Amino acid sequence: MNIALIGNQNCGKTTLFNRLTGSRQKVGNFPGVTVDVASGPLRGKKGFTIVDLPGVYSLSPYSNEEKVTRDYLFKSRPDCVINILDATNLNRNLYLTMQVLETQTPTIVALNMMDDVKANGMVIDIEKLSEYLGVVVVPISAAKNQGIEELIEHCVKVCLAKEKNTFKDRCEGPIHTAIHSISHLVETNAAKAGLPAKFSAIRIIENDAEIIEELRLAPNQVEIINHFVEDLEKALGTDRESAVVDMRYGNIEVICADVIKKYGDNKSQRRTDKIDKILTHKVFALPIFIGIMGLIFYITFGIVGKYATDGMSILMDMAGEGLKSLLVSLQVSDWLVGLVVDGIFAGISSVLSFLPTIIVLFLLLSIVEDTGYMARVAFIMDKLLRKIGLSGRSIVPMLIGFGCSVPAYMSTRTISSERDRKLTLLMVPFMSCNAKVPVYAIITMTFFQKYQALVMLFMYVLGIVVGILYALILQKTKFKGSSAPFVMELPPYRLPSGKTVIMYMWDKAKGFIVKAFTVILVASVAVWFLTNVSFTFSMVEDTGDSILAMISKWISPIFAPLGFGDWRLTTSLIAGLSAKEAVVSTLAILFNVTQAELPAALGGLMSPLQALSFLIFVSLYMPCLAAFATLRKEVKSTGYAVLAMALQTFIAYIVALVIYTFGLLVTL
Amino acid sequence: MTLDALQTGEKAKITKVEGEGSMRKRLLDMGLTPGTNITLFKKAPMGDPIEIVVRGYHLTLRISDARKIFVAKESAK
């Protein structure tokens, strides 16, 4: 039995889902969309699965979330729907309920945030509400874990009884006439399409193109319908879409007027208004946002990055050494030791080294999201982001990109528009990540001692500028059309639920390990193989004889126009794909010097202009393989991810070429 | 007049929602229907988007979209 969980955004849906399922959730794939849908077994009951559908305000077929939720409801036809409402805002929440009830699917209404209702002194007549809606209404508080058992019991009952909801809307007048006439007219079509007739009629009047197509109306039917609709529009003095929306809200107004006995004092809203006086203040909003992001950054990449990640790598190094001496003592042959320790084990530790960052960052981000602050971020930053064709929501992933592309990609999940999300995904890797700093440091130290800070800053700015230009070009070509409608609720601030935060964090960490593991493992084994084996499949003493070196020698002429045709630089760029820091360590190995002596070795190899060109290429070319694996997971397409990487590398090439050529002309 | 012309704190009643397709439907779905009372609550620090109160909740939308919503100010009492 399938139970669909449906509700507005910010109404506590995910918290309820976690309460109903416990921890055994899995994330399902819906074809063609990047929206994730989680499902899990109903706690304590066998044979019931709950599907947590994306939070929506309506069932119109416009955004991806709406499409997923609507398709599930209209096509997969769940055995029962749990419609969760924020009881402190019945007025708007009931709008979705009206649409759910129109589908005639067996429904239970879970009236959430009843603790807030009580605290506000609001009084809702639940029995009367249930009478109006024709379904069971269960008062709950998902955050406080109240009413969940009753909800589960009712849910099982409704599922087994398969009772249709007995919702009778109180629609009168012309709209009523139109719905009835049209539902008679399309009765056969609706039955064939497996849709309720009245529901079909409402959707036809609403001009729902998808449903209209499914009904396969005959030309004469369309003509008659158009007459009905014209009459309706004339009689109401409004258009067809408004007529249906008005009908729903009209119903809601009648219900609310009778059911809400007392509105009380909306304390959470008043508290929110007070907080927003500061957080979205004309002057303070921006500094506060920068401060909060700075703090998150500092904790994640500063404190955790420094101690946890370093600690993890020390631990992994020790384990690696231990493994190595164990294998040596077992007299395993050298190449196998190398493969296991430097290939496989290095891959595992590279995956694990991302973990502390991901866990801490998403712990913090989910708190920011759950409190409702993220919506304010979008509110504050929208105007700026719109200039590059995005909405305010894209700012957070881009900022995280300065730390690491892997979690930055993962954080694009909160962007509800598919177009905006993909555009953001493509821009993220242009933000100079932490791992590139060692490369910047060594090159600027060698060539630009006087202007070290300035050149570093230039690299960051260049990344941002190129990223923005890229976004602007993409918009004119692949991502035509304006960014998604920005009509968004600013929900009241709420304390995040610990369980939701932990589940979210766990979900991110698990998702990363599971999906990225194979790719990173294969990649690091491949890199090990390429750097340690020659074309005759024998182990090499000198990396200069390895397959990688051979390939590098072969392709290095490509980089000659950019001023760095030396094969060793090419090798370091390829090695840098496993992790950007590897550019430096590989160069040290290839020049057979320690990292401290590297500047001297590089200084003899390149002119400052050539070094700058190399630096620009390093800063802009495709991100590391862990990032690739994450991107592939987020867009659910290998081809798309490969294309994105290829395009980015191409851009890096062009930019370096232009700047190098320009530099040559100027210095001539 | 349209919604964007309201001053912060001013109340008005929606008279007409223009625009087309998904954007208009979204505005209607969110409860911005003719006859509904709204208050312009706040403008974002950069002046756009705006925050309004409608049907008891807070909603933000861009000025370009607010221009499609026609309102009549409540006559001074």
Side-chain angles (χ1 to χ4, degrees):
Chain A
M1 293 256 167
N2 285 319
I3 304 162
L5 185 57
I6 291 186
N8 285 182
Q9 287 167 24
N10 315 308
C11 69
K13 193 168 58 62
T14 307
T15 310
L16 176 61
F17 178 67
N18 290 336
R19 296 275 183 220
L20 290 173
T21 56
S23 54
R24 286 168 50 221
Q25 305 174 358
K26 47 173 202 241
V27 172
N29 274 311
F30 275 60
V33 290
T34 53
V35 179
D36 272 338
V37 177
S39 65
L42 187 61
R43 189 159 49 86
K45 304 282 170 194
K46 272 214 169 93
F48 293 89
T49 306
I50 304 195
V51 182
D52 183 20
L53 295 174
V56 296
Y57 297 102
S58 165
L59 297 173
S60 310
Y62 296 120
S63 77
N64 264 303
E65 278 72 21
E66 285 174 349
K67 261 182 221 151
V68 170
T69 302
R70 162 190 158 98
D71 281 356
Y72 194 84
L73 197 56
F74 294 176
K75 291 177 185 156
S76 306
R77 298 243 130 206
D79 297 288
C80 157
V81 169
I82 299 178
N83 179 201
I84 174 172
L85 309 184
D86 173 354
T88 63
N89 187 359
L90 272 186
N91 222 310
R92 198 210 52 232
N93 276 256
L94 279 171
Y95 185 74
L96 182 66
T97 311
M98 293 296 128
Q99 298 187 59
V100 170
L101 294 178
E102 283 162 15
T103 66
Q104 294 179 17
T105 316
T107 302
I108 297 175
V109 166
L111 209 51
N112 194 21
M113 316 235 179
M114 285 308 284
D115 47 331
D116 278 357
V117 166
K118 283 202 188 87
N120 291 345
M122 187 182 182
V123 181
I124 301 172
D125 187 336
I126 292 176
E127 253 168 65
K128 208 160 222 174
L129 180 62
S130 164
E131 229 169 82
Y132 269 112
L133 300 177
V135 299
V136 179
V137 177
V138 186
I140 64 164
S141 164
K144 299 231 163 100
N145 206 5
Q146 291 161 352
I148 308 298
E149 298 306 324
E150 292 91 313
L151 182 63
I152 293 177
E153 292 310 321
H154 278 296
C155 186
V156 170
K157 239 185 265 169
V158 172
C159 262
L160 294 176
K162 290 189 189 292
E163 53 195 36
K164 283 191 181 159
N165 64 63
T166 54
F167 173 60
K168 283 196 188 65
D169 51 39
R170 262 140 256 271
C171 77
E172 301 151 335
I175 183 88
H176 180 79
T177 319
I179 292 174
H180 273 262
S181 317
I182 295 176
S183 55
H184 278 301
L185 183 70
V186 300
E187 213 163 2
T188 333
N189 306 62
K192 263 190 208 156
L195 300 166
K198 190 175 169 194
F199 163 81
S200 307
I202 296 174
R203 290 276 152 189
I204 289 172
I205 299 175
E206 214 178 350
N207 219 350
D208 185 325
E210 267 184 40
I211 297 290
I212 292 176
E213 196 182 312
E214 252 176 76
L215 289 170
R216 298 179 185 283
L217 300 168
N220 67 320
Q221 279 177 307
V222 174
E223 207 173 301
I224 301 170
I225 287 171
N226 284 342
H227 272 294
F228 284 136
V229 171
E230 266 169 44
D231 288 349
L232 170 73
E233 289 183 332
K234 224 180 272 164
L236 288 177
T238 181
D239 59 286
R240 56 202 291 184
E241 284 102 342
S242 301
V244 174
V245 176
D246 274 343
M247 169 190 83
R248 293 190 186 123
Y249 273 115
N251 268 325
I252 293 168
E253 276 159 26
V254 170
I255 295 173
C256 283
D258 200 15
V259 162
I260 301 176
K261 298 296 177 196
K262 211 174 124 193
Y263 271 95
D265 170 29
N266 197 340
K267 282 185 193 133
S268 52
Q269 189 60 55
R270 270 205 317 171
R271 191 175 55 224
T272 299
D273 292 350
K274 264 189 212 152
I275 298 173
D276 265 347
K277 274 216 167 98
I278 303 163
L279 291 189
T280 61
H281 184 271
K282 224 178 162 72
V283 181
F284 304 138
L286 216 57
I288 291 174
F289 168 62
I290 293 169
I292 291 175
M293 278 317 288
L295 189 68
I296 292 177
F297 227 79
Y298 176 69
I299 294 174
T300 315
F301 298 107
I303 300 176
V304 176
K306 206 166 155 61
Y307 299 106
T309 311
D310 285 1
M312 183 75 108
S313 61
I314 291 170
L315 215 64
M316 293 311 282
D317 281 351
M318 272 161 54
E321 285 303 314
L323 185 65
K324 192 169 184 175
S325 46
L326 177 74
L327 290 174
V328 171
S329 71
L330 290 174
Q331 297 189 319
V332 178
S333 58
D334 275 357
W335 71 268
L336 194 58
V337 175
L339 175 66
V340 172
V341 177
D342 300 328
I344 297 171
F345 192 75
I348 295 171
S349 60
S350 127
V351 173
L352 292 182
S353 71
F354 282 100
L355 263 194
T357 315
I358 289 177
I359 288 176
V360 174
L361 184 63
F362 283 100
L363 177 73
L364 297 174
L365 281 183
S366 82
I367 292 172
V368 170
E369 175 82 32
D370 269 19
T371 51
Y373 183 63
M374 207 68 109
R376 271 75 186 182
V377 170
F379 178 66
I380 298 165
M381 300 304 294
D382 185 67
K383 193 175 181 187
L384 203 66
L385 271 287
R386 200 179 330 154
K387 294 207 161 82
I388 51 173
L390 291 168
S391 80
R393 291 242 154 194
S394 301
I395 189 74
V396 169
M398 286 201 288
L399 290 178
I400 294 169
F402 287 112
C404 175
S405 294
V406 171
Y409 282 144
M410 289 159 72
S411 68
T412 59
R413 283 294 170 79
T414 54
I415 303 172
S416 50
S417 140
E418 176 108 358
R419 171 196 173 277
D420 287 10
R421 180 157 178 242
K422 282 198 165 154
L423 207 49
T424 310
L425 282 170
L426 291 173
M427 276 185 77
V428 158
F430 285 100
M431 309 299 130
S432 233
C433 79
N434 256 355
K436 289 171 189 165
V437 173
V439 191
Y440 295 170
I442 203 112
I443 299 276
T444 52
M445 204 160 61
T446 312
F447 296 95
F448 309 101
Q449 243 163 14
K450 260 192 197 161
Y451 307 104
Q452 201 171 358
L454 203 65
V455 174
M456 284 262 224
L457 185 67
F458 173 72
M459 298 323 297
Y460 279 93
V461 174
L462 183 74
I464 298 170
V465 170
V466 173
I468 289 174
L469 287 177
Y470 188 38
L472 290 175
I473 292 171
L474 283 172
Q475 263 180 79
K476 292 270 174 325
T477 50
K478 192 171 177 330
F479 293 90
K480 272 192 188 146
S482 57
S483 81
F486 185 79
V487 183
M488 187 185 65
E489 183 190 3
L490 290 174
Y493 287 109
R494 291 207 167 89
L495 280 177
S497 123
K499 193 167 181 192
T500 310
V501 168
I502 302 283
M503 295 286 286
Y504 182 73
M505 190 182 81
W506 166 241
D507 182 54
K508 290 286 171 192
K510 198 176 73 177
F512 172 72
I513 295 181
V514 172
K515 292 282 167 77
F517 202 78
T518 348
V519 176
I520 297 175
L521 196 63
V522 169
S524 60
V525 170
V527 168
W528 174 84
F529 184 82
L530 292 174
T531 43
N532 286 283
V533 177
S534 74
F535 269 117
T536 53
F537 291 105
S538 54
M539 294 289 293
V540 293
E541 290 289 315
D542 180 358
T543 315
D545 301 325
S546 67
I547 297 181
L548 183 63
M550 297 301 147
I551 296 174
S552 302
K553 280 170 190 163
W554 184 61
I555 61 173
S556 61
I558 296 176
F559 294 110
L562 311 188
F564 52 93
D566 190 280
W567 68 270
R568 286 167 294 197
L569 294 172
T570 310
T571 311
S572 75
L573 288 174
I574 298 174
L577 296 181
S578 60
K580 288 296 154 86
E581 303 94 317
V583 171
V584 176
S585 55
T586 309
L587 283 174
I589 293 170
L590 291 174
F591 284 103
N592 211 0
V593 293
T594 65
Q595 282 194 21
E597 297 160 352
L598 192 57
L602 286 175
L605 185 72
M606 289 187 281
S607 72
L609 181 60
Q610 288 167 332
L612 183 68
S613 171
F614 179 69
L615 203 53
I616 290 169
F617 190 80
V618 169
S619 108
L620 297 179
Y621 84 125
M622 67 172 280
C624 67
L625 291 161
F628 167 76
T630 313
L631 179 64
R632 179 174 161 269
K633 168 177 174 269
E634 292 300 324
V635 296
K636 293 181 179 166
S637 156
T638 309
Y640 193 93
V642 169
L643 187 68
M645 297 290 147
L647 209 55
Q648 188 176 349
T649 308
F650 177 71
I651 292 168
Y653 188 91
I654 296 294
V655 174
L657 180 68
V658 167
I659 293 183
Y660 180 65
T661 315
F662 181 74
L664 280 182
L665 290 175
V666 171
T667 49
L668 262 181
Chain B
M1 69 188 292
T2 51
L3 175 54
D4 60 292
L6 288 180
Q7 299 295 315
T8 307
E10 269 186 321
K11 291 178 166 51
K13 191 179 264 233
I14 299 177
T15 53
K16 189 168 66 167
V17 180
E18 285 196 339
E20 51 192 66
S22 66
M23 188 61 213
R24 176 167 194 272
K25 187 67 205 307
R26 178 135 178 111
L27 293 173
L28 294 172
D29 280 343
M30 295 305 278
L32 297 168
T33 53
T36 312
N37 291 315
I38 52 167
T39 311
L40 184 78
F41 189 76
K42 192 181 248 181
K43 289 183 176 171
M46 290 180 232
D48 187 10
I50 56 171
E51 179 177 350
I52 60 170
V53 181
V54 57
R55 294 184 191 271
Y57 78 101
H58 288 238
L59 183 78
T60 170
L61 70 164
R62 291 174 176 166
I63 290 207
S64 56
D65 298 320
R67 286 210 182 96
K68 293 169 194 149
I69 300 170
F70 287 76
V71 295
K73 257 193 253 184
E74 277 179 4
S75 48
K77 279 170 198 166

